[in-house]
Amino acid sequence: LTDRAFFKTLHEGWVRHGIAEIIKMAVVKDMSLFELLEKAGPKLIRTKFGTENPEDSEYGSMCDVIIGKAMEGYVRAEYGNLWETHQCRPHAYGHTWSPGYEIPSGMLHGHAVGTCMGYGAYLAYDQGFITEEKFHRIMKLISDMELTLYHPIMDNHDQIWAAQKKVTEKRGGNLCAPVPRGEIGLCGYINDVDEKRLRRTLDEYKQICKKYPRAGLGVDMHCVDVGLEPAGTVGMRETESLEQQQQGGEDSKATVGQKGGEQTKDLSYNEWIKTCQESRTHAHNERLGGKAIELGAEKPPAFNKDTLFHPTVEAYATAHTTKASKDVARISEVTKEKKMFAPCMVGQLEGQFLKMMVQMQRANTVLDIGTFTGYSALSFAEGLGKDGKVVTIENDAKIAETADGLFKASSVADKIELLVGDAVQHMQKLLQQGKKFDLIFLDADKANYVKYYEIAMQGLLNKDGFIMADNSLCALVYREGDARRDRLHEFNELVSKDPRVEQVCLTLREGVTIIRPTPEFWASTANKQ
């Protein structure tokens, strides 16, 4: 177990995520081990604990001590409590909240532990257990070892709160979260974190992590980044659910998995398809519409998730999307500072999508229904030409005041007109005034989407203009029995059956439906005029 030669056979990413468990023992059990880790630095990863540079015997000896101290600390912590008869377990540091999001995030275990150690250290600082200097010293070590401090999945506070409730139940009704206390290398326990404090400290911790290298993200933090199967799928075939495998039968024969780059680099494209990609045929057939849901259902189908996207996919897509401008990013910052409901913002991925839509359409006028703090309106405005105009409507006067201040401070303030009040009434006034728009974006009260749509189709669109409806797939995401879920389903059904338009429902974020009146509609409109 202590033979370092084994480390030489491992992927750097595997070594890196294993170091998290050593940091864990150092923070709550052994200051001397902590100092050794600081001294060794990320060279531990590059040299795989000194096995790649055996000529450096001094460094190798330090690696031996690090491994020995980590194992000794763990055994001393575990010995005498093998059956967990009590929960004063320092080696559970970093394992209180992360079990609730490690698998759905796709993170390697060590990276998930890194996020939890960092957050636990912040709670220790928030509680007065450690100084700010000690907190940042812990954070720096985790970051220097290229482990994750914060993952986007941690934005889902409901999920983390659910994880806390579950671990509290597992620990006999006590949270008993081990954290550093007094000095690094000593352990204390936090037993009371209510939901309000959890949400507050997660928000604060996220902002702190942004100031660290990589904005708190780790290097090769997901299982797939280091050549492993996604977390939670080990032992499952790529095209089958667990239920399907348990049923067995002819359809449960093994399929060909994806192969590593070294095995596939010499294959031709057709050979690669046959060898590595045939397992995706089933899913592709579904994407071709082979199992489309029939229209006309009174209620949308059951959907037991509260999001459409996988955190790994979302993080990857966002990382490869043009970053928001300083003005748009400021909207996000202010929204969070004022503790407004951040999910009402479209976010970076969709914001860039909206900007590019007006650019590709060469739109000159946009009607944005549902301003909130202005993320979509400002994104649209930045995509318009110099004479372009965005009219945006917000019902809540207090929120509108925040948006107005952000608009006025932006470089495109002259392109945005903010209307405050009921969206239906404002749309009717715009219609009476003969105003027309190249793009109408629906993102206000979901219960009124049908009204917004009908008014838009009565004459608010310029010829060749189109409508975009945000959150259209919340007809699935919102909880069953929610009235807005049903209203969105009614809207989706109405649009799908409307002969005046053609549409596409995209699985971007929480669903974006693009609706375009047909040439026949425009011809009939011209004849009426």
Side-chain angles (χ1 to χ4, degrees):
L1 289 175
T2 58
D3 182 3
R4 285 186 293 112
F6 171 67
F7 288 79
K8 191 172 183 178
T9 68
L10 302 180
H11 187 293
E12 274 193 14
W14 303 357
V15 175
R16 180 186 297 109
H17 99 102
I19 290 173
E21 298 290 346
I22 300 179
I23 295 175
K24 169 187 78 175
M25 298 313 303
V27 172
V28 293
K29 286 290 289 181
D30 192 340
M31 178 58 171
S32 65
L33 175 57
F34 189 92
E35 291 172 336
L36 282 172
L37 288 170
E38 288 181 316
K39 183 178 179 181
K43 185 177 177 181
L44 282 175
I45 304 164
R46 305 290 171 261
T47 65
K48 299 180 181 179
F49 279 75
T51 59
E52 296 283 8
N53 61 334
E55 68 281 357
D56 189 347
S57 58
E58 183 178 349
Y59 192 78
S61 297
M62 181 167 60
C63 291
D64 284 330
V65 175
I66 287 172
I67 294 170
K69 281 182 170 289
M71 294 184 68
E72 179 189 18
Y74 189 90
V75 171
R76 287 184 181 278
E78 189 74 286
Y79 189 76
N81 190 31
L82 296 177
W83 301 104
E84 296 186 18
T85 53
H86 63 79
Q87 290 301 320
C88 292
R89 304 170 63 243
H91 50 291
Y93 174 53
H95 295 71
T96 298
W97 296 274
S98 59
Y101 56 79
E102 176 180 330
I103 288 178
S105 73
M107 274 190 288
L108 287 155
H109 177 69
H111 284 275
V113 170
T115 65
C116 199
M117 288 193 295
Y119 177 57
Y122 181 66
L123 282 177
Y125 164 61
D126 184 67
Q127 188 119 344
F129 281 4
I130 59 174
T131 64
E132 184 176 10
E133 182 271 330
K134 290 182 174 65
F135 160 62
H136 281 291
R137 189 175 176 185
I138 294 168
M139 292 282 283
K140 184 177 185 302
L141 179 60
I142 298 171
S143 178
D144 286 349
M145 292 300 184
E146 300 171 348
L147 290 164
T148 306
L149 291 170
Y150 193 93
H151 188 281
I153 199 171
M154 295 170 73
D155 289 342
N156 188 339
H157 295 179
D158 290 339
Q159 187 167 3
I160 298 179
W161 175 244
Q164 177 173 307
K165 289 194 291 186
K166 190 171 183 179
V167 79
T168 299
E169 181 181 356
K170 178 181 180 293
R171 294 175 179 174
N174 293 293
L175 178 59
C176 213
V179 296
R181 181 168 187 173
E183 299 291 340
I184 294 174
L186 299 178
C187 186
Y189 297 88
I190 294 177
N191 209 38
D192 185 20
V193 179
D194 61 27
E195 186 174 1
K196 183 178 180 181
R197 183 186 178 196
L198 181 92
R199 294 177 182 275
R200 170 182 65 80
T201 52
L202 281 169
D203 283 336
E204 292 168 352
Y205 178 65
K206 179 180 180 178
Q207 296 307 313
I208 291 169
C209 290
K210 286 181 178 179
K211 298 176 183 178
Y212 276 83
R214 306 174 303 278
L217 296 177
V219 175
D220 291 340
M221 60 183 175
H222 299 113
C223 293
V224 295
D225 297 332
V226 295
L228 299 176
E229 295 179 51
T233 65
V234 176
M236 294 181 67
R237 298 175 195 119
E238 293 182 26
T239 59
E240 293 181 274
S241 66
L242 180 59
E243 181 181 0
Q244 287 173 317
Q245 290 191 51
Q246 290 170 337
Q247 291 173 348
E250 184 66 24
D251 290 337
S252 63
K253 291 181 179 178
T255 57
V256 178
Q258 304 250 357
K259 294 188 176 182
E262 288 302 312
Q263 294 172 284
T264 62
K265 65 180 182 180
D266 295 326
L267 296 179
S268 69
Y269 181 76
N270 287 336
E271 289 171 334
W272 173 75
I273 289 291
K274 183 172 180 60
T275 305
C276 305
Q277 300 297 309
E278 281 188 350
S279 62
R280 300 174 61 224
T281 301
H282 175 71
H284 184 67
N285 287 340
E286 290 185 346
R287 290 196 292 272
L288 291 175
K291 292 186 178 180
I293 293 175
E294 294 293 329
L295 296 177
E298 183 179 349
K299 300 282 186 180
F303 185 73
N304 63 355
K305 300 182 185 297
D306 60 5
T307 181
L308 296 177
F309 50 84
H310 188 287
T312 302
V313 177
E314 187 75 3
Y316 185 86
T318 301
H320 292 81
T321 296
T322 301
K323 299 295 184 287
S325 68
K326 290 182 180 179
D327 289 339
V328 173
R330 180 60 182 155
I331 289 178
S332 180
E333 293 169 4
V334 170
T335 302
K336 292 173 183 177
E337 287 170 5
K338 295 195 173 187
K339 301 193 182 304
M340 295 177 172
F341 188 59
C344 282
M345 294 186 292
V346 294
Q348 177 190 332
L349 195 66
E350 189 177 348
Q352 181 65 14
F353 173 75
L354 299 180
K355 178 180 177 180
M356 294 185 73
M357 285 297 290
V358 296
Q359 289 173 328
M360 291 186 292
Q361 177 71 3
R362 295 184 180 177
N364 197 51
T365 52
V366 175
L367 177 57
D368 175 42
I369 304 168
T371 313
F372 190 52
T373 50
Y375 203 114
S376 56
L378 200 58
S379 297
F380 281 131
E382 289 185 346
L384 294 174
K386 63 178 182 178
D387 297 322
K389 193 77 172 179
V390 177
V391 176
T392 183
I393 305 171
E394 175 54 48
N395 187 53
D396 188 303
K398 186 175 180 181
I399 293 175
E401 183 179 354
T402 297
D404 189 47
L406 289 163
F407 292 154
K408 288 176 178 176
S410 75
S411 62
V412 289
D414 59 323
K415 296 182 182 179
I416 303 174
E417 178 183 356
L418 174 62
L419 303 178
V420 182
D422 181 77
V424 170
Q425 294 179 8
H426 276 299
M427 290 178 73
Q428 289 171 337
K429 288 180 183 178
L430 292 168
L431 186 63
Q432 293 168 3
Q433 294 167 2
K435 301 290 186 181
K436 292 186 181 293
F437 300 89
D438 299 317
L439 190 161
I440 298 177
F441 186 58
L442 312 184
D443 192 22
D445 182 11
K446 314 310 170 191
N448 284 317
Y449 267 29
V450 169
K451 290 181 181 178
Y452 304 149
Y453 173 70
E454 292 293 5
I455 298 173
M457 291 294 290
Q458 287 172 18
L460 276 178
L461 278 175
N462 272 324
K463 187 177 183 301
D464 297 326
F466 60 100
I467 300 168
M468 293 174 63
D470 198 22
N471 307 114
S472 55
L473 289 178
C474 283
L476 299 176
V477 173
Y478 291 162
R479 294 177 181 175
E480 289 188 63
D482 190 307
R484 286 173 173 79
R485 184 182 201 263
D486 295 338
R487 298 295 85 76
L488 280 170
H489 176 64
E490 291 169 7
F491 167 76
N492 291 335
E493 288 281 314
L494 172 70
V495 173
S496 297
K497 297 174 183 176
D498 190 343
R500 300 174 297 173
V501 299
E502 59 180 355
Q503 70 286 332
V504 58
C505 184
L506 303 176
T507 54
L508 172 67
R509 295 294 296 173
E510 293 180 331
V512 177
T513 298
I514 302 175
I515 307 162
R516 179 178 177 272
T518 63
E520 292 76 15
F521 169 80
W522 292 118
S524 65
T525 302
N527 291 335
K528 289 178 183 179
Q529 293 175 346

